[in-house]
Amino acid sequence: GAVQLAGGSSEKARTSFEKAVELNPTSVEAWLALANYDWAVNDHSGAERELKAALAADPQNSLAHRALALFYLSDRRPLEAEPHFKILAAQSPEGALALADFYTGIGRQDAALTVLNNIQDKKAQRDARLRIAGIEQTRGRQAEALAIADGLIKDKPKDPEAHMLKARLLLAGNGDLD
């Protein structure tokens, strides 16, 4: 189907994606491929229907939840995306970071901070601290944001992300080019 779509044969592609679903109706991957096709040809109602079918095939599938959440965001329906981000957050530290990013993106910094402060995974905690510093900076709490950046640099002096964070904070805060 993907090759047919790339070659300009949209109807043949649809037939191939539908055949994959027909051959294996419990395959999340087949449903997601059909949903992606619908999305690519601007059939939003079809894409939503197929994404929901993928989720019905495996209600805990992280790819299906992620795809449905992103679909709702792109369709400007964030309230419908939130439950899917919450499920992703319950499944993995990366999902928790995605939920925090979602909350930050819709202006719910307090909810984002709650999620970020409750992350237990060591690697994800570092990513959470990077995000917390950004939230603090947007709230006008420059000193707190810089303290977080300094702590990250102290923990891992050669970490480029921590240094870039501090540089962004200094530029945004007082235009310190040094």
Side-chain angles (χ1 to χ4, degrees):
V3 171
Q4 291 166 326
L5 183 60
S9 183
S10 181
E11 283 310 308
K12 286 183 180 179
R14 172 177 288 288
T15 301
S16 294
F17 288 123
E18 288 173 342
K19 184 69 172 177
V21 167
E22 180 186 321
L23 290 172
N24 191 354
T26 62
S27 170
V28 171
E29 292 80 9
W31 285 109
L32 290 177
L34 180 55
N36 284 331
Y37 166 82
D38 286 337
W39 203 343
V41 298
N42 237 2
D43 178 2
H44 284 242
S45 62
E48 182 177 10
R49 181 182 60 248
E50 312 309 351
L51 288 169
K52 286 180 177 181
L55 200 55
D58 181 359
Q60 293 304 310
N61 187 284
S62 61
L63 289 175
H65 280 288
R66 187 177 315 274
L68 205 44
L70 294 176
F71 172 80
Y72 287 135
L73 283 180
S74 74
D75 212 35
R76 300 190 196 308
R77 294 159 53 189
L79 294 179
E80 292 176 71
E82 184 175 11
H84 300 287
F85 280 114
K86 285 183 174 182
I87 289 170
L88 291 169
Q91 292 177 339
S92 72
E94 294 78 16
L97 291 169
L99 176 62
D101 290 343
F102 165 74
Y103 284 142
T104 300
I106 62 169
R108 291 176 54 191
Q109 282 81 11
D110 288 336
L113 287 172
T114 298
V115 172
L116 293 168
N117 285 318
N118 286 313
I119 291 176
Q120 302 299 313
D121 180 80
K122 290 293 182 197
K123 182 188 180 315
Q125 282 178 343
R126 184 163 186 76
D127 293 335
R129 289 171 60 199
L130 289 164
R131 287 164 169 81
I132 291 168
I135 291 170
E136 293 296 354
Q137 192 272 331
T138 60
R139 290 180 154 190
R141 298 176 53 163
Q142 185 74 5
E144 290 84 349
L146 283 169
I148 293 169
D150 287 337
L152 289 165
I153 291 169
K154 183 180 178 193
D155 291 347
K156 282 182 88 176
K158 295 187 180 202
D159 179 20
E161 285 185 89
H163 286 281
M164 289 188 304
L165 169 67
K166 185 166 183 182
R168 282 194 309 269
L169 293 171
L170 289 169
L171 283 170
N174 58 15
D176 183 352
L177 296 178
D178 290 333

